[in-house]
Amino acid sequence: MEKNPHGFLSAAEIPLPRLYLYMAGVFFIAALVWVYNLMNYSVFKIHWLMAALAFTKSMSLVFHSINYYFINTKGHPIEGWAIMYYITHLLKGALLFITLALIGTGWAFVKYILSDKEKKIFMIVIPLQVLANVAYIIIESTEEGSSEYYVWKEILFLVDLICCGAILFPVVWSIRHLQEASSTDGKAAMNLEKLKLFRHYYVMIVCYIYFTRIIAILLKFTMPFQWQWCYEFLVEVSTLIFFVLTGYKFRPASNNPYLQLPQDEDDVENDEVVTESGALEGISKVKKTSNGRDRQKESTL
């Protein structure tokens, strides 16, 4: 049996239980602040999805910390805690990419229904996220020297990059749509404001992906062995910064200039309901007002 004076973790992993626990507390506080803001303003469903993501991220870090604690004290993970960590990690990964993709499409902020090509993005990203989490679980439970380990590690890296690339497409489509709208309709100021927001969001996603998938890994390889835990620290801090900036950009505040802008009727896709029987047989269009909650029906007989 081989162990360090203070436990079974290596020198690079000894700070990880405390690091994950502290970061879980920070994410939990951030989630509480976000929910407090939601209680004071009229919000969209996407705002509650963002709150669920923050709480799930916090819970995932708690179970990750507990998992490392038992590895440090007993030399192996406790199965129940490990399963709880894998479940919350799976939920966190799925919620993260779903939330980013929904924000990127402008759902609830710009429009209220998704196009067919945007739905296809979710049909691609969600199964890939499940595969990525399966690969991660296999990597965590497999010895590093086995051939399985490196195969699944390559699968995880490739699938993760595909998911990161896929969530950029809705943002690009939203930017292109707003560029066309700002040059064709009479509400150029409103569309330019939206365009500016989505361009900032695109840059934020690219910077987050570039830092966590490339720069942080390069730093990990260049650091001394006992300082490699700093890689996890940089990833968690950059994730926190990304969450905070995204929440700030899309905050449900009365002084948010983006949310103050009225919805353009041409930008809002109308749900068309065809009635097959009854006195009002025909087509009725459902329109949503700028706050996204009041509906006004206009019957077109």
Side-chain angles (χ1 to χ4, degrees), residues 1-14 72 225:
M1 183 173 64
E2 184 178 353
K3 63 180 293 187
N4 282 322
H6 301 290
F8 288 93
L9 291 177
S10 65
E13 296 173 329
I14 289 174
N72 187 43
F225 177 74

Side-chain angles (χ1 to χ4, degrees), residues 37-295:
N37 286 328
L38 297 187
M39 301 298 291
N40 295 325
Y41 299 99
S42 297
V43 298
F44 299 113
K45 291 180 181 179
I46 188 70
H47 289 125
W48 291 110
L49 190 62
M50 293 163 73
L53 172 61
F55 281 114
T56 307
K57 173 67 175 176
S58 176
M59 293 301 298
S60 176
L61 287 174
V62 168
F63 289 124
H64 205 178
S65 175
I66 294 173
N67 197 36
Y68 264 103
Y69 171 79
F70 283 112
I71 293 174
N72 187 43
T73 55
K74 297 182 180 296
H76 59 84
I78 303 299
E79 186 175 351
W81 291 111
I83 291 174
M84 291 301 298
Y85 165 61
Y86 294 143
I87 291 173
T88 53
H89 182 77
L90 173 64
L91 291 175
K92 182 263 298 180
L95 275 175
L96 174 63
F97 282 92
I98 289 173
T99 304
L100 295 185
L102 282 175
I103 295 175
T105 60
W107 181 71
F109 296 109
V110 176
K111 56 187 177 182
Y112 300 98
I113 56 176
L114 301 176
S115 64
D116 290 336
K117 64 180 180 180
E118 289 167 346
K119 292 176 182 177
K120 290 177 182 177
I121 290 292
F122 289 95
M123 293 173 63
I124 294 172
V125 168
I126 294 175
L128 285 179
Q129 266 302 295
V130 174
L131 177 60
N133 282 276
V134 169
Y136 178 80
I137 292 170
I138 293 175
I139 289 172
E140 287 288 304
S141 57
T142 306
E143 294 295 334
E144 191 170 346
S146 64
S147 58
E148 263 186 346
Y149 180 87
Y150 292 101
V151 171
W152 283 103
K153 192 171 184 179
E154 291 174 359
I155 291 174
L156 174 62
F157 182 76
L158 177 62
V159 170
D160 192 50
L161 283 182
I162 294 174
C163 290
C164 292
I167 62 174
L168 291 175
F169 283 102
V171 187
V172 174
W173 293 335
S174 296
I175 291 174
R176 185 179 302 172
H177 169 74
L178 292 171
Q179 284 176 333
E180 294 173 355
S182 62
S183 60
T184 56
D185 63 20
K187 298 183 178 180
M190 178 184 67
N191 290 307
L192 287 174
E193 191 70 24
K194 295 177 184 177
L195 181 61
K196 181 180 177 181
L197 178 72
F198 276 88
R199 280 176 174 169
H200 289 171
Y201 183 61
Y202 177 82
V203 172
M204 285 164 49
I205 292 180
V206 171
C207 291
Y208 174 68
I209 294 172
Y210 186 73
F211 184 82
T212 56
R213 269 66 178 179
I214 299 176
I215 295 180
I217 295 176
L218 293 177
L219 290 175
K220 181 180 179 181
F221 290 142
T222 57
M223 287 177 179
F225 177 74
Q226 66 272 19
W227 292 99
Q228 287 189 3
W229 61 270
C230 293
Y231 162 75
E232 298 292 340
F233 174 74
L234 291 174
V235 169
E236 297 302 333
V237 170
S238 62
T239 302
L240 177 65
I241 293 173
F242 178 71
F243 280 20
V244 170
L245 289 177
T246 302
Y248 177 77
K249 289 289 184 181
F250 296 92
R251 66 195 183 279
S254 57
N255 59 349
N256 187 343
Y258 173 68
L259 296 181
Q260 285 179 351
L261 294 172
Q263 291 287 346
D264 187 358
E265 291 184 359
D266 295 331
D267 291 338
V268 178
E269 298 187 31
N270 296 325
D271 298 323
E272 293 188 357
V273 182
V274 181
T275 60
E276 297 179 352
S277 62
L280 298 177
E281 185 175 0
I283 299 175
S284 25
K285 291 185 178 180
V286 180
K287 292 188 177 181
K288 296 184 179 181
T289 59
S290 59
N291 59 12
R293 282 156 296 278
D294 298 329
R295 294 170 178 259

Side-chain angles (χ1 to χ4, degrees), residues 23-43:
M23 292 306 300
V26 174
F27 275 100
F28 186 75
I29 293 172
L32 289 179
V33 172
W34 179 252
V35 171
Y36 175 78
N37 286 328
L38 297 187
M39 301 298 291
N40 295 325
Y41 299 99
S42 297
V43 298

